[in-house]
Amino acid sequence: MTNNRPAGSHRPAAAVAAPLPTAALPWRLLSLALAALLALVGVLAMPRAASAAELDAIKTVTITEPRDEVHLWESLRIEATWAVPDGSRAGDTFTLAFPQSPRVTGFATTFDLKTPEGAVVGTCDVTQDGFACTLSPYVETATNVHGTLYFWAQVDDVGEGGTFAFVTGNDMVIKVPVPGGGVIPGEGWSAPEQPLKNGWVSTDGRTAVWDVFVPSEFLAAAAGGPVVVTDTYDPRLTMRDDSLVVGYVALADWDDGDFSDDAVWLERGTGYVYTPDVAGSSFDLTFVDPVTDGSRMYMVRYEMTLPAGVRDGDTFGNQIAGSTGWDDQRVLEYAGAGGDGDGDGNGELRLTKRVTGDGAASVPAGTEFTVEYTTERDGRTASGSLTVTDGATVSLPGLAAGTVVTLSEVSPAAIDGVTWGAPVFSGEGVTTVEGGAQVTVGEEGVVEVALENPATPVVPPATVPPVTEPPGETPSVAVVPPTEPPAARPTATGGALATTGATVGVLAGAAALLLGTGLTLVALRRRGAAS
């Protein structure tokens, strides 16, 4: 590192230290050693997260199909028994690697190991090289956990000797005799004389592979034009258009079926025309200018995706047909895998739901309620949830005697017109705890718990209807008598007095008096004239 301090600058004081006295050195070294020891003890005392363990669980391996002899490329059904030690934990695994000579390749798949009651003990993944099973929390609340499993594999080479050597995860070798004493090499096969359909499941466990062989004379054009080859397959399968290959091999180069180096592959559009059906369960092939003198074997290979959820024993049909009347068909059977598990002293909790109260009729049928649970035994816990409907019973299997189960219900979903009351757990041995209930699994194994949800109808508030007038009647109108306006205050204008209401009254009285006097005089005059 470059020193950028100017020349002649002082050395930092912290870098200058007086030498320790010789007598102090042993104590100094002792202090350092003690500090290091305490640090090491602290590290060792720190809690460590539990890690999954590889268990020596595989006990036996047996080939159950075929029983008499094994041929190259033949499929084997392999069965095994297993048992894990008490105290195993969720996440622990047990594995088995497949033989390398003779080589065995597994058909990939995944399956659960279940008890007769349906509890999952573990999950197994089969690959082309072996299988691995991972244990579930079931093993933490059970003892003497054991079971069986089976799977399918394919023999890929002849190898040496008459023994299949399987290897466990703990490097224990399990030797299994090859039925018949050794793998029999392929003897080849003659070119078919009729159109032939064939199929199998790939070792990836997801693909159906189909082969079609058509002797060239069956492609001779008919009166209506070239022969159209139609392939019709199970609609549950999905065609992989890009997997289609079409070609031919001269019969002179057939070589008992070992013709791969001599095959000629055709280009789409120039060598053949591929027309898939819009419905998705068939396609047509038309060969462009095929040789039809019987000297060639035309070949078609393609792949299809198996449906999700395919199970052991499922079958899929496929038919090939020529427009001149020939056909052939095959049924492919899926060979899956499976297994089981069980344990001693396992109990079961059965939870029954009831919706009660005057509002129960307003709760839609099929409404789901969720109950969360936690199990505890010997300091080990597991948790999960159960879903139940009114009147139904759900089970929580795989509970060993002495397991404490704590239950709490998630607040039910709001429903119009209903008010939920507090949930009520009941049953023999059920005790109330904060937020729910608790029960302990006994030696009898089965615990019955009832869960009641009171439902009260919501009463709408009372309303007063508006008052309306009867039709045909007109409401009366109040007559308000006119009122005299207030008298205006006299105001002087131009030196004259303003005319007031009193003045008008005097003038009106005088006018009335004069009028009365005049009328009287007229009447007297008429009377005098008459006399």
Side-chain angles (χ1 to χ4, degrees):
M1 182 175 65
T2 303
N3 185 353
N4 294 319
R5 186 180 298 112
S9 62
H10 294 286
R11 187 177 183 183
V16 181
L20 289 172
T22 305
L25 287 176
W27 292 103
R28 177 80 170 186
L29 295 175
L30 181 60
S31 298
L32 293 174
L34 181 59
L37 179 61
L38 291 174
L40 178 61
V41 171
V43 171
L44 294 176
M46 290 178 62
R48 297 174 180 269
S51 58
E54 172 67 28
L55 306 177
D56 185 15
I58 301 297
K59 304 306 178 184
T60 64
V61 178
T62 307
I63 296 174
T64 58
E65 294 183 32
R67 293 183 177 275
D68 49 359
E69 58 185 22
V70 175
H71 293 262
L72 182 64
W73 306 116
E74 191 168 9
S75 295
L76 309 176
R77 179 185 167 103
I78 302 172
E79 298 183 2
T81 61
W82 61 272
V84 298
D86 293 347
S88 298
R89 302 185 66 88
D92 289 350
T93 60
F94 59 90
T95 61
L96 189 70
F98 296 154
Q100 295 299 307
S101 181
R103 178 173 171 78
V104 172
T105 300
F107 289 90
T109 188
T110 299
F111 60 91
D112 290 331
L113 302 170
K114 292 185 177 182
T115 67
E117 297 78 21
V120 176
V121 180
T123 300
C124 299
D125 292 303
V126 181
T127 67
Q128 295 178 343
D129 299 321
F131 74 77
C133 297
T134 304
L135 299 177
S136 77
Y138 174 94
V139 299
E140 298 186 3
T141 56
T143 58
N144 188 29
V145 179
H146 61 283
T148 65
L149 57 85
Y150 71 91
F151 55 91
W152 289 84
Q154 176 180 277
V155 181
D156 289 346
D157 68 11
V158 175
E160 297 180 359
T163 302
F164 290 123
F166 296 86
V167 183
T168 70
N170 290 327
D171 295 327
M172 184 180 72
V173 178
I174 300 177
K175 294 184 177 181
V176 181
V178 177
V183 177
I184 300 174
E187 298 177 355
W189 57 297
S190 301
E193 298 179 355
Q194 300 286 329
L196 175 67
K197 180 81 174 182
N198 200 6
W200 65 93
V201 175
S202 169
T203 55
D204 67 3
R206 300 292 308 131
T207 304
V209 183
W210 300 97
D211 276 347
V212 177
F213 297 92
V214 182
S216 60
E217 61 268 28
F218 286 86
L219 296 178
V227 174
V228 177
V229 178
T230 300
D231 188 290
T232 304
Y233 52 88
D234 191 304
R236 294 174 296 169
L237 299 173
T238 302
M239 175 68 180
R240 300 177 185 171
D241 292 340
D242 58 354
S243 70
L244 178 67
V245 291
V246 179
Y248 67 86
V249 62
L251 290 181
D253 298 324
W254 181 262
D255 193 18
D256 291 331
D258 186 14
F259 52 76
S260 57
D261 292 338
D262 298 307
V264 177
W265 303 107
L266 303 175
E267 293 290 334
R268 185 177 299 188
T270 57
Y272 67 95
V273 177
Y274 168 68
T275 308
D277 180 63
V278 292
S281 59
S282 68
F283 63 85
D284 290 340
L285 281 179
T286 304
F287 292 85
V288 177
D289 298 327
V291 173
T292 60
D293 60 2
S295 63
R296 293 180 178 180
M297 179 70 67
Y298 282 88
M299 305 169 295
V300 181
R301 173 172 288 187
Y302 54 91
E303 298 175 352
M304 293 183 173
T305 302
L306 295 169
V310 62
R311 305 180 66 177
D312 186 33
D314 287 350
T315 58
F316 304 90
N318 195 316
Q319 181 188 47
I320 193 78
S323 57
T324 52
W326 55 264
D327 72 319
D328 192 34
Q329 56 187 343
R330 284 291 181 272
V331 175
L332 179 152
E333 181 176 357
Y334 180 79
D340 57 44
D342 208 348
D344 294 339
N346 281 296
E348 179 183 22
L349 182 144
R350 298 173 183 169
L351 178 71
T352 301
K353 162 68 67 176
R354 288 285 185 271
V355 177
T356 61
D358 295 337
S362 299
V363 178
T367 297
E368 293 184 342
F369 301 82
T370 301
V371 178
E372 296 179 338
Y373 68 84
T374 300
T375 63
E376 189 276 333
R377 180 174 180 266
D378 295 336
R380 300 176 181 178
T381 62
S383 59
S385 63
L386 301 171
T387 301
V388 64
T389 58
D390 181 31
T393 299
V394 293
S395 297
L396 177 60
L399 303 178
T403 301
V404 178
V405 184
T406 303
L407 303 168
S408 62
E409 185 179 49
V410 177
S411 297
I415 296 177
D416 291 340
V418 173
T419 298
W420 293 110
V424 180
F425 291 89
S426 62
E428 184 177 354
V430 177
T431 59
T432 301
V433 297
E434 183 178 358
Q438 201 169 75
V439 65
T440 300
V441 179
E443 292 295 335
E444 63 277 9
V446 177
V447 177
E448 300 281 357
V449 179
L451 174 56
E452 176 186 350
N453 281 89
T456 303
V458 176
V459 180
T463 57
V464 179
V467 178
T468 58
E469 292 290 338
E473 294 185 9
T474 303
S476 58
V477 179
V479 179
V480 180
T483 57
E484 290 288 338
R489 185 174 181 177
T491 303
T493 304
L497 293 176
T499 303
T500 66
T503 305
V504 173
V506 172
L507 293 177
L513 180 60
L514 291 175
L515 178 60
T517 303
L519 292 175
T520 302
L521 291 177
V522 171
L524 290 175
R525 176 174 286 188
R526 287 179 178 177
R527 183 180 296 176
S531 59

